[in-house]
Structures are given as structure tokens and as C-alpha cells.
Amino acid sequence: MRIKRAILPLLVIVIALGLTFVLVKSRKIPKPLEAPYQGPLVETLELESSSRRVIVFGTGTAQPRQEVNITPQVRGRVSELSPHMVAGGRFREGDLLFAIESVDYELAIDLARASLAQAELELQRNENLARVARQEWQALNPDSHEEPDPLVVYEPQLKSARAQRDAAAANVRQAEINLQRTRLYAPFNGYVRSEQLELGQYLTAGSAVATVVGTDQVEIIVPVTLDDLAWLQVPRNKGTQKGSAVEIKLQSGNRSFHWQGMITRAMGEIDPRNRTAHVVVTVIDPLDQEEAATSLLNELLPGMFVEVRIQGEELADVIVVPRGALRDNDTVWIADSENRLRIRAVDIVRRERDEILVQAGLQAGEQIILTGLSGAAEGMLLRPIAREDRE
């Protein structure tokens, strides 16, 4: 019994080892599965053909279209001063800016009119004398066909009297004009840039006392390259052509302000330093005249540095390509229907800030590759994913 108890565990172990050996020898080794190579993952975009307007971007500083020095044409003491005649004060066309004491000029009109009356009386007296003298000469020389001596019929005296009458009339007109010049009115809508005026101040003729700036128009001089200039409409002298429309933008923090303008002319020369032309963008009525305006930035003020977006010529049937998709030598990569890379040369008609406009070399519906690849080659297998799907 003791021998059986000792042998039984050994027998179990031997049987287990034998079964294990048989199982190991009889198992089948699984064959490894090889996944097919699908190529690198690339982002693609489906191309579309459409009409596209060329956009030219630029910057410039706003400046007034009108700026004049106010200079009195007569002298005298300031007797009236507009409350708006201070730096920054605004006025409308025809508003009184200031007035010069007028009593001296009113008296000058009275004196000039008195001299005119005297000259007219002298002219009338000489006309009567001339008429009587001619009648007497004709009575003494009834058969003569010759003209009498001018001195006999008072012709020199008449000419002198008429000249004195005309001079006296001109003096009256000059005195009236001088009186009108004692009151200076705004020549246009605008604001005061600077002034040196006070009530009671004595002004001399010909000395500037203020500078005013017009607000009906503001101009922005924008430098553009010659390539950009070819796409823009710039009015010529005496032409009826309208200039390109322009959107003006001012960015201040997280707020932006916009105005509309148009190209009205070019400066007429090319900058030799950087080979650029300068076009003038005009904004009509750039200041906000509403009393409820909440911000001064709603107004396009002279001195503001702004961005401009000029609408150029419209191109038909072009394909817009992201600029990052353009490769060396003006080529792009296309993923064909078999997910193979194709290198395609394109005809670029316009290069913009973020995009290029292609007129030949691409077809609508093709998938352009946006992802950069190291060692890209014609026919390379790809694993494309559309940009819209990733988003």
C-alpha cells in the first residue's frame, strides 16, 4: 500500500507531462497577417471654379482734402467771434467765424458815394457844355462836312469826366467789398485746427489768424506695387471712368470701424526707391455728424493710420488655391482617383495674401494636397482625408 501511494503521484505527473508534450507537438503555428501599405495621411481640399474679384490690400494715413489759412483782407479790431472759433471747434459752410469792426468801412462807403455824386454832376455839366458847343459850331458852319475840333466840342473834357465818374463808381464798389470783408464766413464744412484770435484783438490785412480743415472729404494715399496697379481702375484726367471701390478699416482693440471710399486719382509718378505707385482714396463725408455718436473713432479723422481693401478687376472661371498648397516652381500636388500623388504645374494669374488664383493647370473637383511631405514623388501612394471631414 505504501508503494502504491508513492507511485501514484509520480504516475500522474508523468501522464501530465506526456499530454503536454503531445499537445505542443500537435499545435499549428498561426501565419502572420500583413496589412497593405496605404501611404502617409494627407489633408486634401476639393477645388472649385468660380468668378473672383481681385483684392488689393494696403495701408495709408488719412489726411484732409481741404486745409486753408484764414487771412483777413482788411484791418481792424475783432468785434465778434464765433464760439466755435477754437481749436477743434466745428462749423458748417456759411457760418460766421469772426467779424472786424465795420464803422470805418461804412464811412468809407458814404465818402465814396459822395465822390460819385460829384463826379456824375461834373459829367452831366460837361455833357451839356459839349452839346451846346456842337450846336454853335454847326450854326456857324452849316455847309461844312468836317468834324469840329475836339477841344471846341469838349470831347477831352467829356472823356475826363467819364473817367472820373467810373473811378468814383469803382471806389464805391471797393468800399462795399471792404465792408463785406469785415465779416469772415466758413468756406466749407470743417473744424478749426489752430487759431490766434480774441475779442478786441487788432488784425492786420494779410496775416493768417487761423487754420481750418474741411470735413466733407478725407483722402488716403496708398502705395501699391505695379503688379497690383494693373488690376485697379484709376480715373484719368477729364475721363468718365469710375475708380475702384475701397473698404477702409481701423482696428482698435477688439473693435473695428469701417468706411467706404473709392480711388479718385493717382499721384502721377512712380517712387524710384521701391518702384511703387501711389493712388488716392477719397472718402465722402467721413465724419459722424450724429449727436448720438458714442465714439470719436466712428469718424475717419486726419492722421488715422488705416488698412484699405481695394476691389480690383473681376476674373471669370478661376480656381482659388490656398497659398500654403503652392510648391516649388509654381507646382501643386494632386491626389488622383487612385490616391496617388500627381505633381501639376499651374498658370498663376494672381497671387494674394492668403490665396493664389489659377487660370490653367487645374480642374474643378480635383483634390489638392494641403499637407507637406518629405520626399514626395510622382505616383506616391497616399491616404487622403478631406479638410471638411477633419473639421
Side-chain angles (χ1 to χ4, degrees):
M1 289 295 292
R2 291 181 180 177
I3 295 174
K4 289 181 178 180
R5 289 179 180 177
I7 294 175
L8 185 60
L10 293 174
L11 182 60
V12 172
I13 294 173
V14 172
I15 293 171
L17 290 174
L19 290 173
T20 302
F21 180 77
V22 171
L23 291 173
V24 170
K25 286 295 185 178
S26 62
R27 72 174 184 172
K28 294 181 179 180
I29 300 176
K31 295 181 179 180
L33 297 176
E34 295 184 1
Y37 178 68
Q38 297 180 342
L41 183 67
V42 293
E43 183 182 38
T44 62
L45 177 68
E46 183 176 352
L47 298 175
E48 296 180 354
S49 177
S50 62
S51 297
R52 179 65 177 263
R53 185 173 295 279
V54 173
I55 302 298
V56 175
F57 295 90
T59 58
T61 301
Q63 60 185 34
R65 174 69 178 84
Q66 298 168 300
E67 180 177 350
V68 298
N69 292 325
I70 300 298
T71 304
Q73 295 178 276
V74 295
R75 61 184 181 179
R77 184 177 61 86
V78 177
S79 60
E80 190 175 348
L81 187 63
S82 168
H84 302 293
M85 199 60 186
V86 292
R90 292 191 181 178
F91 50 80
R92 306 294 296 179
E93 180 180 357
D95 288 351
L96 177 67
L97 300 179
F98 64 92
I100 295 174
E101 193 173 44
S102 61
V103 59
D104 292 340
Y105 301 96
E106 292 170 352
L107 293 175
I109 291 177
D110 293 339
L111 291 175
R113 287 174 177 169
S115 297
L116 175 60
Q118 183 66 32
E120 288 175 342
L121 178 61
E122 184 66 18
L123 174 61
Q124 186 177 6
R125 187 179 70 83
N126 281 280
E127 288 175 342
N128 292 332
L129 290 174
R131 184 173 60 256
V132 171
R134 182 171 289 275
Q135 291 173 353
E136 291 178 349
W137 185 88
Q138 290 175 347
L140 294 174
N141 304 277
D143 299 326
S144 177
H145 298 289
E146 298 180 357
E147 285 292 321
D149 189 323
L151 290 175
V152 174
V153 291
Y154 285 81
E155 286 187 3
Q157 293 88 335
L158 275 175
K159 288 182 178 179
S160 176
R162 289 192 182 103
Q164 290 178 3
R165 189 273 314 272
D166 292 342
N171 288 335
V172 172
R173 179 59 180 153
Q174 183 63 62
E176 292 173 345
I177 291 174
N178 288 340
L179 179 62
Q180 293 174 1
R181 288 172 175 171
T182 61
R183 300 181 69 82
L184 280 85
Y185 297 92
F188 42 70
N189 300 328
Y191 66 91
V192 179
R193 170 166 287 178
S194 62
E195 54 82 25
Q196 305 87 37
L197 277 173
E198 293 293 342
L199 277 174
Q201 178 181 348
Y202 186 85
L203 305 181
T204 58
S207 298
V209 295
T211 301
V212 297
V213 173
T215 56
D216 291 333
Q217 296 182 10
V218 165
E219 294 183 342
I220 306 165
I221 299 177
V222 182
V224 296
T225 65
L226 299 184
D227 290 340
D228 287 338
L229 185 63
W231 299 104
L232 305 180
Q233 299 293 332
V234 181
R236 307 295 295 170
N237 290 338
K238 299 181 180 178
T240 58
Q241 179 187 28
K242 291 186 64 176
S244 298
V246 183
E247 179 183 351
I248 298 96
K249 177 182 177 182
L250 172 69
Q251 190 69 37
S252 177
N254 59 353
R255 300 181 63 188
S256 59
F257 303 87
H258 300 266
W259 300 269
Q260 299 298 321
M262 68 172 53
I263 294 178
T264 53
R265 67 183 188 278
M267 296 301 290
E269 60 183 25
I270 303 300
D271 191 333
R273 296 170 298 178
N274 50 22
R275 311 304 299 172
T276 59
H278 291 78
V279 297
V280 179
V281 175
T282 301
V283 181
I284 306 298
D285 195 18
L287 301 191
D288 193 339
Q289 305 294 342
E290 297 181 2
E291 296 292 336
T294 57
S295 174
L296 191 62
L297 295 179
N298 289 322
E299 304 174 350
L300 181 56
L301 300 174
M304 282 183 171
F305 186 76
V306 295
E307 301 175 3
V308 298
R309 187 173 182 268
I310 308 174
Q311 297 185 15
E313 184 179 337
E314 186 172 2
L315 299 174
D317 298 327
V318 294
I319 293 179
V320 180
V321 176
R323 190 148 189 164
L326 184 65
R327 312 300 170 181
D328 295 337
N329 300 321
D330 288 346
T331 61
V332 297
W333 297 342
I334 298 295
D336 65 11
S337 59
E338 297 179 355
N339 294 338
R340 297 282 180 177
L341 185 145
R342 303 300 174 192
I343 300 176
R344 190 81 58 77
V346 294
D347 181 13
I348 300 174
V349 67
R350 166 74 181 168
R351 300 172 190 263
E352 295 192 342
R353 181 182 296 176
D354 302 317
E355 299 169 329
I356 58 174
L357 307 183
V358 176
Q359 208 160 36
L362 295 174
Q363 298 294 327
E366 290 186 312
Q367 299 289 332
I368 190 169
I369 299 171
L370 305 177
T371 307
L373 295 173
S374 178
E378 180 77 16
M380 180 179 179
L381 186 62
L382 304 170
R383 186 155 46 99
I385 179 171
R387 170 186 281 182
E388 292 78 9
D389 294 341
R390 279 190 73 175
E391 293 177 352

